[in-house]
Amino acid sequence: MAVDVYLNFNGNCREAAEFYAEVFNTEKPDIMTFGESPQSPEYKLPEEAKDLVMHTRLNISGSNVMFSDTFPGSPFIQGNNISLAFVGKNEEEIRSAFDKLKEGGSVGMELQETFWSKCYGSLKDKFGIEWQFSHESAELQ
C-alpha cells in the first residue's frame, strides 16, 4: 500500500511532467491522453480534451508522483492542485479507508470499477484534503 502525490495542471501537464523528468533525471514520462482512453458512446469527448494528459507518472528518488490535466470545465485553482493517492492491492483496506475519510467530507466519485482499476474513487475529507483511491492489480496495468 502506498500514498502517492497527485498533481493536476490546467493544460500544461505534459510540459510540467517533462520538465520534472529532466530536473530529477528520470525516464521520460509515458503519457496517456484523454483521447487515448476508452470512450463512452453516451458521451462525446470534447475536441479540446483529446490531447490533454489524463495520466502520467514519474518515479522521483523512489517516490511516485502522478500528474494529469484537469478536464475542460473542471475547477482549477493553482496551489490547490494536489491530492493524495492511496494505491494498493487490498480492496478491503481501500474501502475501509475510503469509508472512514468520507465521514464529514464530500465524495467526488464513489468507489467503482473503471478501465484502469477494479476499485477507484475520490473524495475531500473533513479537513479539505483531496484523496484518490485505486486498487492496483496486475490484470489492469
Side-chain angles (χ1 to χ4, degrees):
M1 191 66 65
V3 175
D4 298 327
V5 176
Y6 207 111
L7 303 173
N8 295 108
F9 294 85
N10 197 24
N12 59 344
C13 181
R14 181 183 305 270
E15 176 186 358
E18 289 173 352
F19 173 74
Y20 294 131
E22 185 178 320
V23 166
F24 294 104
N25 198 28
T26 69
E27 290 184 24
K28 188 174 177 182
D30 184 18
I31 293 176
M32 174 188 242
T33 65
F34 285 106
E36 294 170 327
S37 67
Q39 302 301 304
S40 168
E42 295 93 44
Y43 179 75
K44 183 169 174 23
L45 185 68
E47 197 61 39
E48 65 270 21
K50 290 183 178 176
D51 291 329
L52 293 176
V53 175
M54 181 179 167
H55 180 76
T56 191
R57 169 186 357 215
L58 296 176
N59 187 291
I60 299 173
S61 295
S63 295
N64 283 322
V65 180
M66 298 181 283
F67 305 78
S68 72
D69 279 311
T70 56
F71 198 77
S74 297
F76 176 85
I77 300 170
Q78 191 167 356
N80 290 346
N81 52 323
I82 186 169
S83 62
L84 298 176
F86 189 62
V87 181
K89 293 178 171 63
N90 184 325
E91 187 174 343
E92 186 177 305
E93 191 173 18
I94 290 167
R95 290 185 180 281
S96 175
F98 185 91
D99 288 342
K100 289 174 185 173
L101 282 173
K102 77 179 182 181
E103 290 179 27
S106 60
V107 174
M109 181 176 176
E110 285 290 348
L111 290 173
Q112 60 191 269
E113 187 168 340
T114 64
F115 73 88
W116 69 88
S117 173
K118 75 176 196 175
C119 183
Y120 175 85
S122 64
L123 60 79
K124 182 185 290 189
D125 72 19
K126 65 184 178 182
F127 300 105
I129 304 300
E130 297 279 350
W131 290 87
Q132 296 182 55
F133 296 82
S134 189
H135 183 271
E136 185 177 56
S137 64
E139 67 268 10
L140 292 175
Q141 288 186 11

